[in-house]
Amino acid sequence: MHAQTFNPEDTLQQKRLITRGAFFLLFLLAPVLNIFRYDLTETHFVLFGFPLSFNLHLDWVAQSSPAEVAGQILFWFILPILVLVPLALWIAFKWGRLYCGWLCPHFSVVETINSLMTRITGRPTLWEALNKGRTGKAIHWAGLTLVCALIGFSWALALLSYLLPPLPLYTDLVTGQIDLYPAIFLGVATAAFTFDFLFARHLFCKYGCAVGLVQSIAWMANGKGKVVTFDTKRAAACRDCTKACDEACPMRLPTRSHKRAKFSCTQCLQCVSACREVQKDNPEGSLLTWEPGIPGKQTVLIPVREIETKPRQPRA
């Protein structure tokens, strides 16, 4: 199976690549640029270069009343949470896991490794490749393992830089003077990320990511939330297709099935782009579209049982 190519006129995936790439760089550089991190050595957050201690300095607290201290906590800590959390849930309620498909650094790695593994084995996951009896050459697997390890190390180093001052950390790493506990963290985290990227990357997105799970639940609570919809009336047009939409899905979901079967859909819309490419010469266009759902038993997580309206026939 060759790598999926898309219609140059379909700029959907190009736009998504821009948002994912920009957010991935932000994820790696945010601690270095002091955009956001938590400094364990100073025990406070850093936001845009300024220490974020909620203005609760010990001297000020000692001279202030309990009401003033409570007001500072409410304004600087509780109020932002009360604003940001409902906003994130509202976005997920209407559009699903947009963060996952359009921003999440982990999902960017999922798609990258999927592409590399497809070139090696013809399938985007190891388990599918083994089922097909094709595993690829050892030298290719060595290269893929090295790529996963390098990405895993970059992730481990980025996460550690969110906790320790980045520049001294990088200096100690380059000069070989890094302390024991940071070195242990880097080793363990690199091994864990490498294992995840090689064997369980999309499984983590499906079952292990709390952020993704919360988004999916919010989305499934909205029967009218936007969802990839299949035009069943034109299903015959799929006859000559090799399931390009299903093959394009990084999460390995049945893209033409109902919403409940796509609970962990990341709204990456790769299935839509794949269908657009296959049907590019079809005047009626793609069979898959991203549009508001129709409330029903297959569009919500817990379906409401329909009440029978027809009168029952009396027993003989």
Side-chain angles (χ1 to χ4, degrees):
M1 182 184 70
H2 299 286
Q4 182 68 47
T5 57
F6 297 111
N7 189 343
E9 298 180 357
D10 181 12
T11 61
L12 177 63
Q13 296 305 318
Q14 296 176 9
K15 295 175 181 177
R16 200 171 64 86
L17 179 62
I18 293 174
T19 61
R20 288 190 304 121
F23 197 82
F24 194 88
L25 288 177
L26 178 63
F27 164 71
L28 295 178
L29 298 179
V32 182
L33 301 177
N34 274 337
I35 296 175
F36 177 77
R37 63 185 179 89
Y38 181 79
D39 194 330
L40 279 177
T41 61
E42 299 291 339
T43 64
H44 61 64
F45 287 96
V46 175
L47 183 64
F48 295 109
F50 296 98
L52 185 63
S53 59
F54 309 121
N55 287 342
L56 297 177
H57 303 291
L58 292 179
D59 294 338
W60 180 85
V61 171
Q63 299 174 3
S64 303
S65 66
E68 290 176 326
V69 175
Q72 286 292 91
I73 295 175
L74 176 64
F75 182 79
W76 291 103
F77 182 70
I78 298 179
L79 186 60
I81 292 177
L82 293 178
V83 172
L84 294 177
V85 171
L87 177 61
L89 291 176
W90 178 78
I91 292 174
F93 181 77
K94 288 185 66 70
W95 294 287
R97 295 173 65 166
L98 280 184
Y99 170 78
C100 295
W102 290 74
L103 296 176
C104 178
H106 184 272
F107 194 69
S108 297
V109 176
V110 169
E111 293 184 286
T112 301
I113 302 301
N114 279 6
S115 178
L116 293 175
M117 194 169 288
T118 297
R119 295 183 181 184
I120 294 174
T121 68
R123 309 295 294 176
T125 71
L126 173 64
W127 319 115
E128 292 178 73
L130 292 176
N131 290 336
K132 294 292 183 179
R134 180 181 172 186
T135 57
K137 297 181 180 180
I139 188 172
H140 295 153
W141 276 106
L144 180 62
T145 303
L146 178 61
V147 169
C148 291
L150 290 175
I151 297 176
F153 176 76
S154 68
W155 266 60
L157 184 59
L159 292 180
L160 189 57
S161 67
Y162 275 90
L163 301 175
L164 298 177
L167 295 182
L169 172 64
Y170 296 157
T171 302
D172 291 344
L173 184 63
V174 172
T175 58
Q177 297 178 346
I178 189 169
D179 292 336
L180 176 61
Y181 291 115
I184 292 176
F185 177 90
L186 287 176
V188 173
T190 298
F193 285 133
T194 302
F195 180 87
D196 169 53
F197 296 153
L198 271 177
F199 303 110
R201 55 193 177 279
H202 70 288
L203 297 178
F204 173 80
C205 293
K206 279 186 175 182
Y207 308 114
C209 179
V211 175
L213 181 62
V214 169
Q215 290 179 91
S216 290
I217 293 175
W219 178 56
M220 290 300 300
N222 181 15
K224 296 182 180 180
K226 294 197 73 171
V227 62
V228 174
T229 304
F230 176 60
D231 189 351
T232 56
K233 296 180 180 179
R234 299 171 50 215
C238 295
R239 181 173 56 248
D240 299 327
C241 179
T242 57
K243 297 183 179 180
C245 54
D246 291 344
E247 295 293 335
C249 178
M251 297 292 282
R252 320 313 294 151
L253 300 175
T255 58
R256 290 168 290 178
S257 187
H258 51 76
K259 182 178 177 180
R260 285 173 60 195
K262 297 181 287 188
F263 174 80
S264 55
C265 175
T266 60
Q267 316 302 332
C268 70
L269 306 183
Q270 288 204 53
C271 55
V272 175
S273 295
C275 188
R276 287 177 179 174
E277 171 63 22
V278 173
Q279 302 295 333
K280 62 183 178 181
D281 296 326
N282 188 336
E284 297 183 85
S286 172
L287 282 78
L288 290 177
T289 54
W290 193 47
E291 59 187 47
I294 300 175
K297 64 180 182 180
Q298 301 292 2
T299 59
V300 292
L301 184 61
I302 304 177
V304 178
R305 186 174 182 180
E306 297 180 0
I307 301 176
E308 189 176 359
T309 58
K310 295 182 179 180
R312 294 185 178 182
Q313 297 293 333
R315 295 183 178 180

